[in-house]
Amino acid sequence: MDKSQNASYQAGEAEGQAQEKVGNMADKASNAAQSAKESCQEAGQQMKDKAQGACDAVKDKVGANK
């Protein structure tokens, strides 16, 4: 293998490694986004449940929950 072929090979190796790193970073970003989405959905559901509980408590106090 001459110098030109070796340089070409090295460049190809570097490109492949860079593409792999970009792919891994994209996967990590996607996983983080999915986790954040799920956390927000869970927090929203908890808030909804608490609001419903407060509403039911008020209805019980005024006798409207019959």
Side-chain angles (χ1 to χ4, degrees):
M1 186 180 292
D2 65 16
K3 286 184 181 181
S4 175
Q5 289 174 322
N6 189 34
S8 180
Y9 175 80
Q10 295 290 338
E13 283 285 308
E15 181 182 6
Q17 289 174 359
Q19 288 175 349
E20 179 67 20
K21 286 181 182 179
V22 168
N24 288 340
M25 289 172 58
D27 288 345
K28 287 179 182 179
S30 177
N31 290 342
Q34 182 65 29
S35 179
K37 176 184 171 186
E38 291 169 2
S39 293
C40 287
Q41 288 174 333
E42 184 176 327
Q45 185 62 46
Q46 288 175 353
M47 290 175 66
K48 179 182 172 187
D49 292 344
K50 286 181 181 181
Q52 184 63 52
C55 185
D56 289 344
V58 169
K59 286 180 179 178
D60 287 343
K61 286 286 183 184
V62 298
N65 204 13
K66 295 183 180 179

Short mmCIF file of all heavy atoms in Angstrom, two decimals:
data_model
loop_
_atom_site.label_atom_id
_atom_site.label_comp_id
_atom_site.label_asym_id
_atom_site.label_seq_id
_atom_site.Cartn_x
_atom_site.Cartn_y
_atom_site.Cartn_z
N MET A 1 0.86 -1.17 0.00
CA MET A 1 0.00 0.00 0.00
C MET A 1 0.92 1.24 0.00
O MET A 1 1.78 1.38 0.84
CB MET A 1 -0.88 -0.01 1.26
CG MET A 1 -1.91 1.08 1.29
SD MET A 1 -2.97 1.10 2.77
CE MET A 1 -3.94 -0.37 2.62
N ASP A 2 0.73 2.12 -0.97
CA ASP A 2 1.57 3.32 -1.02
C ASP A 2 0.97 4.41 -0.14
O ASP A 2 -0.09 4.25 0.46
CB ASP A 2 1.78 3.80 -2.46
CG ASP A 2 0.49 4.26 -3.13
OD1 ASP A 2 -0.52 4.49 -2.42
OD2 ASP A 2 0.48 4.39 -4.36
N LYS A 3 1.66 5.55 -0.06
CA LYS A 3 1.23 6.63 0.83
C LYS A 3 -0.15 7.15 0.47
O LYS A 3 -0.95 7.48 1.34
CB LYS A 3 2.25 7.76 0.79
CG LYS A 3 3.53 7.44 1.52
CD LYS A 3 4.46 8.64 1.53
CE LYS A 3 5.74 8.30 2.26
NZ LYS A 3 6.65 9.44 2.32
N SER A 4 -0.44 7.25 -0.82
CA SER A 4 -1.73 7.77 -1.27
C SER A 4 -2.86 6.85 -0.83
O SER A 4 -3.90 7.30 -0.34
CB SER A 4 -1.73 7.94 -2.78
OG SER A 4 -3.01 8.34 -3.24
N GLN A 5 -2.66 5.56 -1.01
CA GLN A 5 -3.67 4.59 -0.61
C GLN A 5 -3.86 4.59 0.91
O GLN A 5 -4.97 4.50 1.41
CB GLN A 5 -3.30 3.19 -1.09
CG GLN A 5 -3.42 3.01 -2.58
CD GLN A 5 -2.89 1.65 -3.02
OE1 GLN A 5 -1.89 1.17 -2.49
NE2 GLN A 5 -3.56 1.07 -4.00
N ASN A 6 -2.75 4.70 1.62
CA ASN A 6 -2.80 4.72 3.08
C ASN A 6 -3.56 5.96 3.57
O ASN A 6 -4.38 5.86 4.48
CB ASN A 6 -1.39 4.68 3.67
CG ASN A 6 -1.42 4.48 5.18
OD1 ASN A 6 -2.29 3.79 5.68
ND2 ASN A 6 -0.48 5.08 5.87
N ALA A 7 -3.27 7.11 2.98
CA ALA A 7 -3.96 8.34 3.37
C ALA A 7 -5.45 8.23 3.08
O ALA A 7 -6.29 8.66 3.88
CB ALA A 7 -3.36 9.54 2.65
N SER A 8 -5.78 7.64 1.94
CA SER A 8 -7.18 7.47 1.58
C SER A 8 -7.88 6.53 2.57
O SER A 8 -9.01 6.78 3.00
CB SER A 8 -7.29 6.92 0.16
OG SER A 8 -8.64 6.74 -0.20
N TYR A 9 -7.19 5.46 2.92
CA TYR A 9 -7.73 4.50 3.88
C TYR A 9 -7.95 5.19 5.24
O TYR A 9 -9.01 5.03 5.86
CB TYR A 9 -6.78 3.32 4.05
CG TYR A 9 -7.19 2.35 5.12
CD1 TYR A 9 -8.19 1.40 4.87
CD2 TYR A 9 -6.62 2.38 6.38
CE1 TYR A 9 -8.60 0.52 5.85
CE2 TYR A 9 -7.01 1.51 7.38
CZ TYR A 9 -8.00 0.58 7.11
OH TYR A 9 -8.40 -0.30 8.08
N GLN A 10 -6.96 5.95 5.69
CA GLN A 10 -7.06 6.64 6.97
C GLN A 10 -8.24 7.63 6.96
O GLN A 10 -8.97 7.74 7.94
CB GLN A 10 -5.75 7.40 7.27
CG GLN A 10 -4.55 6.50 7.48
CD GLN A 10 -4.60 5.72 8.78
OE1 GLN A 10 -5.30 6.11 9.71
NE2 GLN A 10 -3.89 4.60 8.83
N ALA A 11 -8.41 8.34 5.84
CA ALA A 11 -9.51 9.30 5.72
C ALA A 11 -10.85 8.57 5.79
O ALA A 11 -11.79 9.05 6.43
CB ALA A 11 -9.39 10.08 4.42
N GLY A 12 -10.94 7.44 5.13
CA GLY A 12 -12.17 6.64 5.18
C GLY A 12 -12.47 6.15 6.58
O GLY A 12 -13.63 6.16 7.02
N GLU A 13 -11.43 5.71 7.27
CA GLU A 13 -11.60 5.27 8.66
C GLU A 13 -12.10 6.41 9.55
O GLU A 13 -13.03 6.24 10.33
CB GLU A 13 -10.26 4.75 9.22
CG GLU A 13 -9.89 3.37 8.74
CD GLU A 13 -10.72 2.29 9.41
OE1 GLU A 13 -10.79 2.25 10.64
OE2 GLU A 13 -11.30 1.49 8.66
N ALA A 14 -11.50 7.57 9.41
CA ALA A 14 -11.90 8.73 10.21
C ALA A 14 -13.34 9.12 9.90
O ALA A 14 -14.11 9.45 10.82
CB ALA A 14 -10.96 9.91 9.94
N GLU A 15 -13.71 9.08 8.64
CA GLU A 15 -15.09 9.42 8.26
C GLU A 15 -16.07 8.44 8.87
O GLU A 15 -17.11 8.83 9.41
CB GLU A 15 -15.23 9.44 6.74
CG GLU A 15 -16.63 9.80 6.28
CD GLU A 15 -16.81 9.77 4.78
OE1 GLU A 15 -15.90 9.36 4.05
OE2 GLU A 15 -17.90 10.17 4.34
N GLY A 16 -15.75 7.17 8.81
CA GLY A 16 -16.63 6.15 9.39
C GLY A 16 -16.79 6.32 10.89
O GLY A 16 -17.90 6.19 11.42
N GLN A 17 -15.70 6.63 11.56
CA GLN A 17 -15.76 6.84 13.01
C GLN A 17 -16.59 8.08 13.34
O GLN A 17 -17.37 8.08 14.30
CB GLN A 17 -14.36 6.95 13.58
CG GLN A 17 -13.61 5.63 13.57
CD GLN A 17 -12.16 5.77 13.99
OE1 GLN A 17 -11.69 6.86 14.29
NE2 GLN A 17 -11.44 4.65 14.01
N ALA A 18 -16.43 9.13 12.55
CA ALA A 18 -17.20 10.35 12.79
C ALA A 18 -18.69 10.10 12.58
O ALA A 18 -19.52 10.57 13.37
CB ALA A 18 -16.72 11.46 11.85
N GLN A 19 -19.02 9.35 11.54
CA GLN A 19 -20.44 9.04 11.29
C GLN A 19 -21.02 8.21 12.43
O GLN A 19 -22.17 8.42 12.84
CB GLN A 19 -20.59 8.29 9.96
CG GLN A 19 -20.37 9.16 8.75
CD GLN A 19 -20.41 8.37 7.45
OE1 GLN A 19 -20.39 7.14 7.45
NE2 GLN A 19 -20.45 9.08 6.34
N GLU A 20 -20.25 7.29 12.96
CA GLU A 20 -20.71 6.47 14.08
C GLU A 20 -20.96 7.33 15.31
O GLU A 20 -21.97 7.18 16.01
CB GLU A 20 -19.67 5.39 14.40
CG GLU A 20 -20.04 4.49 15.55
CD GLU A 20 -21.23 3.58 15.28
OE1 GLU A 20 -21.56 3.36 14.10
OE2 GLU A 20 -21.83 3.11 16.25
N LYS A 21 -20.05 8.27 15.58
CA LYS A 21 -20.23 9.16 16.73
C LYS A 21 -21.47 10.04 16.57
O LYS A 21 -22.22 10.24 17.52
CB LYS A 21 -18.99 10.04 16.92
CG LYS A 21 -17.80 9.30 17.49
CD LYS A 21 -16.60 10.20 17.67
CE LYS A 21 -15.42 9.42 18.21
NZ LYS A 21 -14.22 10.26 18.37
N VAL A 22 -21.69 10.54 15.36
CA VAL A 22 -22.87 11.36 15.11
C VAL A 22 -24.14 10.53 15.33
O VAL A 22 -25.10 10.99 15.94
CB VAL A 22 -22.84 11.95 13.68
CG1 VAL A 22 -24.19 12.54 13.30
CG2 VAL A 22 -21.76 13.02 13.58
N GLY A 23 -24.12 9.30 14.84
CA GLY A 23 -25.27 8.41 15.04
C GLY A 23 -25.54 8.15 16.51
O GLY A 23 -26.70 8.18 16.95
N ASN A 24 -24.48 7.93 17.27
CA ASN A 24 -24.64 7.69 18.71
C ASN A 24 -25.18 8.92 19.42
O ASN A 24 -26.04 8.82 20.31
CB ASN A 24 -23.31 7.26 19.34
CG ASN A 24 -22.91 5.86 18.95
OD1 ASN A 24 -23.73 5.06 18.53
ND2 ASN A 24 -21.63 5.55 19.07
N MET A 25 -24.68 10.09 19.03
CA MET A 25 -25.15 11.33 19.65
C MET A 25 -26.62 11.56 19.31
O MET A 25 -27.40 12.00 20.16
CB MET A 25 -24.29 12.50 19.19
CG MET A 25 -22.89 12.48 19.78
SD MET A 25 -21.78 13.73 19.09
CE MET A 25 -22.64 15.23 19.45
N ALA A 26 -27.02 11.27 18.09
CA ALA A 26 -28.42 11.44 17.68
C ALA A 26 -29.31 10.48 18.47
O ALA A 26 -30.40 10.87 18.91
CB ALA A 26 -28.57 11.20 16.18
N ASP A 27 -28.86 9.27 18.68
CA ASP A 27 -29.62 8.31 19.48
C ASP A 27 -29.79 8.79 20.91
O ASP A 27 -30.88 8.70 21.49
CB ASP A 27 -28.94 6.93 19.48
CG ASP A 27 -29.06 6.21 18.16
OD1 ASP A 27 -29.89 6.61 17.32
OD2 ASP A 27 -28.31 5.23 17.96
N LYS A 28 -28.71 9.31 21.49
CA LYS A 28 -28.78 9.81 22.86
C LYS A 28 -29.74 11.00 22.96
O LYS A 28 -30.51 11.11 23.91
CB LYS A 28 -27.39 10.22 23.35
CG LYS A 28 -26.49 9.04 23.65
CD LYS A 28 -25.12 9.49 24.12
CE LYS A 28 -24.21 8.29 24.37
NZ LYS A 28 -22.87 8.69 24.80
N ALA A 29 -29.69 11.89 21.98
CA ALA A 29 -30.59 13.05 21.98
C ALA A 29 -32.04 12.60 21.86
O ALA A 29 -32.92 13.12 22.53
CB ALA A 29 -30.23 14.00 20.85
N SER A 30 -32.28 11.61 21.01
CA SER A 30 -33.63 11.09 20.83
C SER A 30 -34.14 10.45 22.12
O SER A 30 -35.29 10.66 22.52
CB SER A 30 -33.65 10.07 19.69
OG SER A 30 -34.93 9.50 19.56
N ASN A 31 -33.28 9.70 22.77
CA ASN A 31 -33.66 9.06 24.04
C ASN A 31 -33.95 10.10 25.11
O ASN A 31 -34.90 9.95 25.89
CB ASN A 31 -32.56 8.11 24.51
CG ASN A 31 -32.45 6.88 23.64
OD1 ASN A 31 -33.35 6.54 22.89
ND2 ASN A 31 -31.31 6.21 23.71
N ALA A 32 -33.15 11.16 25.16
CA ALA A 32 -33.36 12.22 26.14
C ALA A 32 -34.69 12.93 25.87
O ALA A 32 -35.43 13.25 26.80
CB ALA A 32 -32.21 13.22 26.10
N ALA A 33 -34.98 13.17 24.60
CA ALA A 33 -36.23 13.84 24.25
C ALA A 33 -37.43 12.97 24.62
O ALA A 33 -38.44 13.47 25.14
CB ALA A 33 -36.25 14.17 22.76
N GLN A 34 -37.34 11.68 24.37
CA GLN A 34 -38.43 10.76 24.71
C GLN A 34 -38.63 10.72 26.22
O GLN A 34 -39.77 10.73 26.71
CB GLN A 34 -38.13 9.36 24.17
CG GLN A 34 -39.23 8.35 24.44
CD GLN A 34 -40.54 8.66 23.74
OE1 GLN A 34 -40.55 9.27 22.69
NE2 GLN A 34 -41.64 8.26 24.34
N SER A 35 -37.54 10.70 26.95
CA SER A 35 -37.63 10.68 28.41
C SER A 35 -38.28 11.96 28.94
O SER A 35 -39.13 11.92 29.84
CB SER A 35 -36.23 10.53 29.02
OG SER A 35 -36.29 10.52 30.42
N ALA A 36 -37.90 13.10 28.37
CA ALA A 36 -38.49 14.38 28.77
C ALA A 36 -39.98 14.40 28.46
O ALA A 36 -40.79 14.87 29.27
CB ALA A 36 -37.78 15.53 28.07
N LYS A 37 -40.35 13.88 27.30
CA LYS A 37 -41.77 13.83 26.91
C LYS A 37 -42.56 12.99 27.91
O LYS A 37 -43.64 13.40 28.36
CB LYS A 37 -41.88 13.24 25.51
CG LYS A 37 -43.31 13.04 25.03
CD LYS A 37 -43.34 12.37 23.67
CE LYS A 37 -44.74 11.97 23.28
NZ LYS A 37 -44.78 11.19 22.05
N GLU A 38 -42.02 11.84 28.26
CA GLU A 38 -42.72 10.96 29.20
C GLU A 38 -42.83 11.60 30.57
O GLU A 38 -43.86 11.48 31.24
CB GLU A 38 -42.00 9.61 29.27
CG GLU A 38 -42.14 8.80 28.00
CD GLU A 38 -41.24 7.58 27.94
OE1 GLU A 38 -40.50 7.32 28.91
OE2 GLU A 38 -41.27 6.89 26.90
N SER A 39 -41.78 12.31 31.00
CA SER A 39 -41.82 12.99 32.30
C SER A 39 -42.89 14.07 32.30
O SER A 39 -43.62 14.22 33.29
CB SER A 39 -40.45 13.61 32.61
OG SER A 39 -39.49 12.61 32.82
N CYS A 40 -42.98 14.82 31.23
CA CYS A 40 -44.00 15.88 31.13
C CYS A 40 -45.40 15.28 31.13
O CYS A 40 -46.30 15.82 31.78
CB CYS A 40 -43.79 16.71 29.86
SG CYS A 40 -42.37 17.81 29.96
N GLN A 41 -45.57 14.18 30.41
CA GLN A 41 -46.89 13.54 30.39
C GLN A 41 -47.27 13.03 31.78
O GLN A 41 -48.42 13.17 32.21
CB GLN A 41 -46.90 12.39 29.38
CG GLN A 41 -46.88 12.85 27.94
CD GLN A 41 -46.75 11.71 26.95
OE1 GLN A 41 -46.20 10.67 27.26
NE2 GLN A 41 -47.25 11.93 25.75
N GLU A 42 -46.31 12.48 32.49
CA GLU A 42 -46.57 11.97 33.84
C GLU A 42 -46.91 13.12 34.78
O GLU A 42 -47.86 13.03 35.57
CB GLU A 42 -45.36 11.20 34.36
CG GLU A 42 -45.59 10.56 35.71
CD GLU A 42 -44.41 9.73 36.18
OE1 GLU A 42 -43.73 9.13 35.33
OE2 GLU A 42 -44.19 9.70 37.40
N ALA A 43 -46.16 14.21 34.68
CA ALA A 43 -46.43 15.37 35.54
C ALA A 43 -47.81 15.95 35.23
O ALA A 43 -48.55 16.32 36.14
CB ALA A 43 -45.35 16.44 35.33
N GLY A 44 -48.16 16.00 33.96
CA GLY A 44 -49.48 16.50 33.57
C GLY A 44 -50.59 15.63 34.12
O GLY A 44 -51.61 16.13 34.59
N GLN A 45 -50.40 14.33 34.06
CA GLN A 45 -51.41 13.41 34.59
C GLN A 45 -51.56 13.58 36.10
O GLN A 45 -52.67 13.56 36.63
CB GLN A 45 -51.05 11.96 34.25
CG GLN A 45 -52.11 10.95 34.65
CD GLN A 45 -53.44 11.15 33.95
OE1 GLN A 45 -53.48 11.36 32.74
NE2 GLN A 45 -54.53 11.11 34.70
N GLN A 46 -50.43 13.76 36.80
CA GLN A 46 -50.49 13.97 38.25
C GLN A 46 -51.24 15.26 38.59
O GLN A 46 -52.04 15.28 39.53
CB GLN A 46 -49.08 14.00 38.83
CG GLN A 46 -48.40 12.65 38.84
CD GLN A 46 -46.95 12.71 39.30
OE1 GLN A 46 -46.39 13.78 39.51
NE2 GLN A 46 -46.34 11.55 39.45
N MET A 47 -50.97 16.31 37.82
CA MET A 47 -51.67 17.57 38.05
C MET A 47 -53.17 17.42 37.80
O MET A 47 -54.00 17.93 38.55
CB MET A 47 -51.09 18.67 37.15
CG MET A 47 -49.69 19.10 37.54
SD MET A 47 -48.97 20.27 36.39
CE MET A 47 -50.01 21.68 36.63
N LYS A 48 -53.51 16.70 36.74
CA LYS A 48 -54.92 16.47 36.41
C LYS A 48 -55.60 15.70 37.54
O LYS A 48 -56.72 16.04 37.95
CB LYS A 48 -55.01 15.69 35.10
CG LYS A 48 -56.42 15.38 34.66
CD LYS A 48 -56.43 14.57 33.38
CE LYS A 48 -57.82 14.10 33.04
NZ LYS A 48 -57.85 13.19 31.89
N ASP A 49 -54.92 14.68 38.04
CA ASP A 49 -55.49 13.87 39.13
C ASP A 49 -55.70 14.71 40.39
O ASP A 49 -56.73 14.59 41.07
CB ASP A 49 -54.59 12.67 39.43
CG ASP A 49 -54.57 11.65 38.30
OD1 ASP A 49 -55.44 11.70 37.41
OD2 ASP A 49 -53.65 10.80 38.31
N LYS A 50 -54.72 15.56 40.70
CA LYS A 50 -54.84 16.41 41.89
C LYS A 50 -55.99 17.41 41.72
O LYS A 50 -56.74 17.67 42.66
CB LYS A 50 -53.53 17.15 42.15
CG LYS A 50 -52.45 16.25 42.72
CD LYS A 50 -51.17 17.02 42.99
CE LYS A 50 -50.11 16.08 43.53
NZ LYS A 50 -48.85 16.79 43.82
N ALA A 51 -56.11 17.98 40.54
CA ALA A 51 -57.20 18.93 40.28
C ALA A 51 -58.55 18.24 40.40
O ALA A 51 -59.50 18.80 40.95
CB ALA A 51 -57.03 19.56 38.90
N GLN A 52 -58.64 17.02 39.89
CA GLN A 52 -59.89 16.28 39.98
C GLN A 52 -60.22 15.98 41.44
O GLN A 52 -61.37 16.09 41.87
CB GLN A 52 -59.80 14.97 39.19
CG GLN A 52 -61.10 14.18 39.16
CD GLN A 52 -62.23 14.93 38.46
OE1 GLN A 52 -62.05 15.40 37.36
NE2 GLN A 52 -63.36 15.05 39.12
N GLY A 53 -59.18 15.64 42.22
CA GLY A 53 -59.39 15.39 43.64
C GLY A 53 -59.87 16.64 44.36
O GLY A 53 -60.76 16.57 45.21
N ALA A 54 -59.29 17.78 44.03
CA ALA A 54 -59.71 19.04 44.66
C ALA A 54 -61.14 19.36 44.27
O ALA A 54 -61.95 19.80 45.11
CB ALA A 54 -58.78 20.16 44.24
N CYS A 55 -61.47 19.14 43.02
CA CYS A 55 -62.83 19.39 42.54
C CYS A 55 -63.83 18.49 43.26
O CYS A 55 -64.89 18.95 43.71
CB CYS A 55 -62.89 19.16 41.04
SG CYS A 55 -64.47 19.57 40.29
N ASP A 56 -63.49 17.24 43.40
CA ASP A 56 -64.37 16.31 44.11
C ASP A 56 -64.54 16.71 45.58
O ASP A 56 -65.63 16.60 46.14
CB ASP A 56 -63.82 14.89 44.01
CG ASP A 56 -63.96 14.30 42.61
OD1 ASP A 56 -64.73 14.86 41.79
OD2 ASP A 56 -63.27 13.29 42.32
N ALA A 57 -63.45 17.19 46.20
CA ALA A 57 -63.53 17.62 47.60
C ALA A 57 -64.48 18.80 47.75
O ALA A 57 -65.28 18.85 48.70
CB ALA A 57 -62.14 17.98 48.10
N VAL A 58 -64.42 19.74 46.83
CA VAL A 58 -65.33 20.89 46.87
C VAL A 58 -66.76 20.43 46.67
O VAL A 58 -67.68 20.87 47.38
CB VAL A 58 -64.93 21.94 45.81
CG1 VAL A 58 -66.00 23.01 45.66
CG2 VAL A 58 -63.59 22.57 46.16
N LYS A 59 -66.97 19.53 45.71
CA LYS A 59 -68.33 19.02 45.48
C LYS A 59 -68.87 18.32 46.72
O LYS A 59 -70.05 18.45 47.06
CB LYS A 59 -68.34 18.05 44.30
CG LYS A 59 -68.21 18.72 42.96
CD LYS A 59 -68.22 17.67 41.85
CE LYS A 59 -68.12 18.28 40.47
NZ LYS A 59 -68.09 17.25 39.41
N ASP A 60 -68.01 17.57 47.41
CA ASP A 60 -68.42 16.90 48.63
C ASP A 60 -68.82 17.91 49.70
O ASP A 60 -69.81 17.71 50.43
CB ASP A 60 -67.29 16.00 49.16
CG ASP A 60 -67.09 14.75 48.33
OD1 ASP A 60 -67.98 14.39 47.54
OD2 ASP A 60 -66.01 14.12 48.46
N LYS A 61 -68.08 18.98 49.81
CA LYS A 61 -68.36 20.01 50.83
C LYS A 61 -69.70 20.70 50.57
O LYS A 61 -70.42 21.02 51.51
CB LYS A 61 -67.26 21.07 50.86
CG LYS A 61 -65.99 20.63 51.48
CD LYS A 61 -66.14 20.55 52.98
CE LYS A 61 -64.82 20.19 53.62
NZ LYS A 61 -64.93 20.01 55.05
N VAL A 62 -70.03 20.93 49.30
CA VAL A 62 -71.28 21.64 48.99
C VAL A 62 -72.41 20.69 48.69
O VAL A 62 -73.51 21.13 48.38
CB VAL A 62 -71.08 22.65 47.83
CG1 VAL A 62 -70.08 23.70 48.18
CG2 VAL A 62 -70.72 21.95 46.53
N GLY A 63 -72.15 19.40 48.76
CA GLY A 63 -73.19 18.41 48.55
C GLY A 63 -73.56 18.20 47.08
O GLY A 63 -74.65 17.73 46.79
N ALA A 64 -72.69 18.56 46.19
CA ALA A 64 -72.99 18.44 44.77
C ALA A 64 -72.46 17.14 44.17
O ALA A 64 -72.61 16.92 42.98
CB ALA A 64 -72.41 19.63 44.01
N ASN A 65 -71.89 16.30 44.96
CA ASN A 65 -71.26 15.08 44.44
C ASN A 65 -72.14 13.87 44.72
O ASN A 65 -71.69 12.85 45.22
CB ASN A 65 -69.86 14.91 45.05
CG ASN A 65 -68.96 14.06 44.18
OD1 ASN A 65 -69.26 13.80 43.03
ND2 ASN A 65 -67.85 13.62 44.73
N LYS A 66 -73.39 14.00 44.40
CA LYS A 66 -74.34 12.90 44.68
C LYS A 66 -74.83 12.27 43.41
O LYS A 66 -74.87 12.82 42.38
CB LYS A 66 -75.51 13.41 45.50
CG LYS A 66 -75.09 13.88 46.86
CD LYS A 66 -76.28 14.33 47.66
CE LYS A 66 -75.82 14.79 49.04
NZ LYS A 66 -76.87 15.27 49.86
#
